[in-house]
Each structure stands twice: as C-alpha cells, then as structure tokens.
C-alpha cells in the first residue's frame, strides 16, 4: 500500500436497496478507513452514483466514469464499502483491476478487508466479484419471471402510464390492468383523425396549445392533485404519441414489441385506443420527411418543399418575397434551393400565385373527377426484414445447440422454449407477409380528388401532395410564351392505373402539363427530355447575352 495515499471514495446505490448500503454508511466507512493510523490517507473526492445498477460498466457510470477517464492522475486508491458497490460483473471488475495495475493504483474494500495491493487480496476480490455477478443474475431472473407472470395474467408490469390509458383493478384482484381513460382516449382519437385528414403534427400541437389542453404528464399531475407545470405541446410530442406501439395496445420492452411463446404480440389492453392498422398508418406517415424534420414554425406556402427544379432536381424553397419599392407591392416566389449557391446553372423560379394556381387547376380540373385513392398502409417490407432477422436468430440457436452449448442441466428446457417461440414467430410473420402481399396496394375512397382538395387549406394541401406522391416539377424559360413551365404528376394514380391495366375515360389522368412543348404527334415529352430542352434554350440565351 502506498504511504499516505490519495483516496477516491466510490459510492453506488441501486434502485432496490436497504439501509445496510445507504450512501451515508458507505461514506462514513470509507472515511473511517482512510483516517486509520495504518493508512493515513486523504479522501480527495467522491464518485457517488445513485440509482445505478451494479451491472453497469464502471467506466460508463455518470460520476465514477469521468474520474477513471479524465482525472486518473488525482488519486492512488479506489476505496469502496464492498466489492459489489464497484461492480457486479466479474468481466468489468477484471478490466478495472487491469486498468489499475497498469497505472500503479489499487482497489480496497473497507468492510471485506480486501487490499488488492497484495496477491491474497486480489484472489479474494475476484471470488467475491464472481459471487456478486451470480447474485445480480439471480435478481434479474427473479424480476423477469415476475414481470412475465404479470403479463400472462394481463396485469400492467409497471412504468410510465401510456397515453390515453388509466389503471383499473384486475378481475382476480392481483395488480392493475389498463383501460381507456375516457377524456384522453378521446383526445388521442381526435389527433389520429386529424392526421388522417392531413393535419401536420405542428398544426395539431398549435391547436392544442391554443385550446389550453394539458399535456399528458400535466393531466396526470392534475388528476393526482398536483399543480400543472404548464408544459406546451410540440410537434415531436404528437409524433411520439401516435407512433408509440402502446397506443395500439402492444406491450414493448426496451423499444421492442414483446411476443408470447406462440410468437403473437403481447397486448397491454383488451380494448386499445388505436387499431393495428391505424397505428401502421401513423408510422408510415411519420417515417417520411415530416418525422425527419418536424416543423417548428408554420408553413407559409402550399408548395414549399414539394415543388422541385426540373433541371437539378432540388426542392424549391418556401415563398420568398421581393418588394417593388416604386409601386409599394410585394411578390412571393418559389425558387430552386440551389439558386443562392450557384450550383444549378438553370434554377427554376416562379411566383407563388402562378405556381399555386397551376397545381390547383391540375387537381381541380385535369383530375377533378378522377377517383381519390388512399395508399394502403400495409407494407410487407419491414415484416420481411423482421422475418429474416428471426430466421438468423433461430439458425444461431440451432448451431449453438449442435455445438453442445445447451447440454448442462436445465438448459435443454430453455433451448426448446426459445426454439418453439422463434419457430412460431417465423410462421406468424410468413402468414402476415402473404396476407400483405395479396392485399390491394391502393384503396378507392369513393371521392374525387377535387372534392377532397377543396376542403383543405395550404398546409393540408402540402401534406396531401406528399402523402399521395404528387410531383410538381418546374422549368425556367422552356418556351418563348411563358417564364415557367410546370408538370404535375400523380404518381400514386399512375401506379394504380398501370398496375390494374385501367384507362379512365381515355384520358392521361396521372399527368397535367402547363406551358410545355409537345412531340410532333401531340404526345407529352418526358421530364428528362424537357430538362435537356431547358438547358439548351438557357445556354443559347446566355451565349447571346455574352456577345
């Protein structure tokens, strides 16, 4: 042991503990040891981690970690009440011992009388660490078994109360079950219905704040007699609520849906607020651009982020204004996002009024009577990915079994239970893929594009365009008689017509052109051909100006 060592006192307290390991007792014991005449040490600091599991790597603990990674030169000895206060993982303990040996430091357990500066101390410390890991595994197994039993009984296993649900006593009187909270289940239904009618998450949040509707956490505080904290709704909150599997009644653990032994999803409620299909719709909606960049400010235009430059393909920005000081008027423009950077030699540009009118005309006139189609929310892609992952897990399990890794007593039963569960899940996922692949990809709503379009404001129209894969492409100086040319493509409708070999009234319903040249036979030109023509015309004009 180093004479008069600099001592780092390490304290840890897990969520489940008793008075025998209280922080004060750990601190007093370490201080008493450091003050002993045979030590004469000085406690230079404390690494106190409360509510931290013994299974967490010491280098990753909030308080201890920085001492090990950033302040190692400030201490000589790590002192703990007991070895399990340092870690309950023998692997982590061995790594920390090696770290100390390389740096000339030592570990001391003050109540177990272990000083790792001696060979005997090292041996006893390793033995104790191994027992601590076994105890941790036993605790976790007991907790998991208890949670599984509660799940099988349909009883809530604990955690934050899911949005829109409330506790109710189980029929057997053992624990709590989840039932719909009348007020906030209705609010969730309202939010879902608004998303279906192309309200953005931002707009929903603004409306709830305007109506002074408490957020879920504030609502729970008010119900329990506590004052509201006045937390505001945000776009991200709305997205998180409607895409959370618990809204559809699915039980999750660490972000993953939980299945039973037959591979079926475990439900947290017999009467979920959202149907699985509705939840799928929400996930599909908010895994697009709106989820990647949730709006923090209101939209000022119908086509910002929807219309694209026909030459470079970049999005056109939201409306920009340019003042005519002589006339005292303002003009609003859409412009290619590459206009300012100069990376597009032929950037598209159009007044907001004109471009909005073209798109309104395309929907209202050219496609007014075409059937409005909803893209099916079902998609076998994610399920296929999950199916392949489960197959690989089963293959690894069988490989381990053949290698004799389940030969010990009690492991056979564990192996066959896991094998049954994975096999059942593979069968279920295969059946789901077959059903989804055979289902229609588009559903006729029974309404026309014009009817639905007329009910929407600019923000809803923008969401509608994205949702139904309606493409707006703008070209500059494509023809002599107009400053901009526009093509509006209804790609969902095109896919539906071509996929079902349909022709509606002998008209080309999936494209509308404004100020675009035609082929000699009167047919429309492809977007690629129009882009080449735009480049050629602008290049000629630029050469003429240069001369």
């Amino acid at each position: 042991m180093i004479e008069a060592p600099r001592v780092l006192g390490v304290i840890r307290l897990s969520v489940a503990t008793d008075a025998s390991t209280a922080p004060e007792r750990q601190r007093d014991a370490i201080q008493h040891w450091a003050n002993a005449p045979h030590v004469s040490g000085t406690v230079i600091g404390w690494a106190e981690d409360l509510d931290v599991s013994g299974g967490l790597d010491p280098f990753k603990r909030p308080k201890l970690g920085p001492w090990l990674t950033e302040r190692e030169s400030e201490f000589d000895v790590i002192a703990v009440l007991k070895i399990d206060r340092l870690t309950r993982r023998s692997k982590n303990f061995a790594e920390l011992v090696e770290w100390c040996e390389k740096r000339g430091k030592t570990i001391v357990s003050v109540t177990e009388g272990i000083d790792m500066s001696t060979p005997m101390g090292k041996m006893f410390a390793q033995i104790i660490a191994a027992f601590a890991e076994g105890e941790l595994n036993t605790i976790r197994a007991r907790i998991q078994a208890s949670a599984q039993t509660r799940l099988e009984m349909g009883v809530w296993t604990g955690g934050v109360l899911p949005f829109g649900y409330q506790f109710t006593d189980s029929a057997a009187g053992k624990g709590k079950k989840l039932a719909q909270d009348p007020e906030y289940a209705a609010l969730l239904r309202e939010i879902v219905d608004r998303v279906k009618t192309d309200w953005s998450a931002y707009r929903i949040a603004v409306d709830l704040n305007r109506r002074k509707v408490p957020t879920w956490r504030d609502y729970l505080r008010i119900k329990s007699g506590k004052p509201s904290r006045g937390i505001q709704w945000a776009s991200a909150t709305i997205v998180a609520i409607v895409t959370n599997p618990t809204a559809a009644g699915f039980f999750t653990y660490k972000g993953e849906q939980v299945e039973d032994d037959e591979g079926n999803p475990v439900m947290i409620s017999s009467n979920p607020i959202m149907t699985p299909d509705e939840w799928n719709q929400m996930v599909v909606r908010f895994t697009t651009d709106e989820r990647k960049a949730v709006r923090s400010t209101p939209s000022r235009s119908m086509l910002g982020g929807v219309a694209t430059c026909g030459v470079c393909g970049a999005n056109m920005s939201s409306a920009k204004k340019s003042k005519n000081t002589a006339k005292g008027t303002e003009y609003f423009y859409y412009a290619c996002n590459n206009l300012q950077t100069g990376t597009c030699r032929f950037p598209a540009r159009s007044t907001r009024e004109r471009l909005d009118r073209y798109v309104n005309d395309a929907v209202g006139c050219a496609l007014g009577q075409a059937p409005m189609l909803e893209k099916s929310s079902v998609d076998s892609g994610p399920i296929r990915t999950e199916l392949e992952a489960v197959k690989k897990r089963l293959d690894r399990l069988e490989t381990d079994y053949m290698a004799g890794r389940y030969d010990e007593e009690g492991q056979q039963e564990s192996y066959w239970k896991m094998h049954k569960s994975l096999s059942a899940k593979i069968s279920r996922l295969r059946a789901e893929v077959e059903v989804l692949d055979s289902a229609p990809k588009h559903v006729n709503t029974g309404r026309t594009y014009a009817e639905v379009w007329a009910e929407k404001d600019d923000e809803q129209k923008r969401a509608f365009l994205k949702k139904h894969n309606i493409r707006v492409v703008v070209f500059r100086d494509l023809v002599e008689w107009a400053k901009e040319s526009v093509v509006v493509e209804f790609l969902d409708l095109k896919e539906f017509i071509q996929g079902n070999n349909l022709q509606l009234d002998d008209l080309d319903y999936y494209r509308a052109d404004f100020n675009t040249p035609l082929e000699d036979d009167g047919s429309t030109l492809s977007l690629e051909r129009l882009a080449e023509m735009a480049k050629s015309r602008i290049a000629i004009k630029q050469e003429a100006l240069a001369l």
Side-chain angles (χ1 to χ4, degrees), residues 368-385:
Q369 299 308 309
M372 212 281 289
L373 306 170
E374 285 284 358
K375 203 166 189 177
S376 175
S377 63
V378 294
D379 179 7
S380 65
I383 297 180
R384 286 181 182 277
T385 301

Side-chain angles (χ1 to χ4, degrees), residues 397-408 411-412:
L397 181 68
E398 292 176 341
T399 299
D400 288 345
Y401 180 78
M402 295 304 293
R405 294 175 183 169
Y406 289 88
D407 288 348
E408 295 183 15
Q411 290 186 329
Q412 287 274 343

Side-chain angles (χ1 to χ4, degrees), residues 18-196:
D18 56 29
S20 65
T21 54
E24 295 78 10
R25 183 174 185 273
Q26 295 183 50
R27 185 185 294 268
D28 289 345
I30 293 170
Q31 187 67 64
H32 179 75
W33 172 83
N35 293 340
H38 69 284
V39 178
S40 299
T42 302
V43 178
I44 54 88
W46 298 92
E48 185 171 308
D49 289 301
L50 305 184
D51 290 338
V52 172
S53 168
L56 184 63
D57 187 337
F59 289 90
K60 296 180 180 179
R61 278 165 50 174
K63 300 299 184 181
L64 177 57
W67 280 97
L68 301 177
T69 57
E70 301 171 11
R71 306 176 64 179
E72 61 181 77
S73 62
E74 298 180 27
F75 61 91
D76 306 306
V77 173
I78 296 175
V80 291
L81 179 73
K82 298 191 298 183
I83 292 296
D84 65 4
R85 297 301 92 191
L86 195 56
T87 178
R88 285 184 180 269
R89 288 294 188 200
S90 56
K91 176 178 178 293
N92 292 341
F93 184 71
E95 290 175 349
L96 183 58
V97 169
E98 182 180 0
W99 181 88
C100 288
E101 288 179 342
K102 289 181 178 179
R103 291 160 177 79
K105 304 182 189 302
T106 189
I107 299 172
V108 171
S109 171
V110 301
T111 59
E112 293 163 330
I114 296 175
D115 180 351
M116 291 193 62
S117 63
T118 68
M120 188 63 71
K122 290 181 183 178
M123 182 185 72
F124 277 114
Q126 294 287 0
I127 293 173
I128 291 173
F131 275 108
E133 180 169 24
E135 182 183 357
L136 175 63
N137 291 335
T138 301
I139 292 170
R140 287 183 170 175
R142 187 164 61 246
I143 293 171
Q144 290 173 359
S146 175
Q148 183 62 36
T149 301
R150 292 197 299 273
L151 273 176
E152 291 171 355
M153 295 173 60
V155 176
W156 178 241
T157 59
V160 179
L161 190 63
F163 188 99
Y165 291 94
Q166 62 183 2
F167 289 129
T168 182
D169 291 330
S170 65
K174 296 180 179 180
K176 300 289 186 179
K177 300 186 72 172
L178 292 180
Q180 291 190 19
D181 178 273
E183 186 174 349
Y184 270 61
L187 178 62
L188 179 54
R189 290 294 333 158
E190 176 189 329
I191 293 172
V192 170
D193 290 341
R194 287 186 167 186
V195 172
K196 288 181 179 179

Side-chain angles (χ1 to χ4, degrees), residues 21 27 32 69 135-136 141 203 213 219 233 259 281 338 394 397 415 503 505 530:
T21 54
R27 185 185 294 268
H32 179 75
T69 57
E135 182 183 357
L136 175 63
R203 186 179 180 190
V213 177
Y219 174 70
W233 292 88
E259 293 94 14
Q281 290 181 44
N338 289 331
L394 182 59
L397 181 68
Y415 166 78
Q503 187 66 36
D505 302 333
L530 292 176

Side-chain angles (χ1 to χ4, degrees), residues 413-432:
E413 182 181 351
S414 175
Y415 166 78
W416 287 113
K417 184 175 182 180
M418 288 187 288
H419 194 283
K420 179 183 177 182
S421 176
L422 291 173
S423 298
K425 187 170 183 179
I426 288 173
S427 298
R428 176 174 63 82
L429 292 174
R430 280 176 174 164
E432 289 184 15

Side-chain angles (χ1 to χ4, degrees), residues 201-202 205 233-243 290-291 294-295:
Y202 172 80
W233 292 88
S235 304
T237 307
I238 301 298
V239 173
I241 289 169
V242 297
T243 58
E290 185 160 352
R291 185 168 187 177
V294 178
R295 300 193 65 84

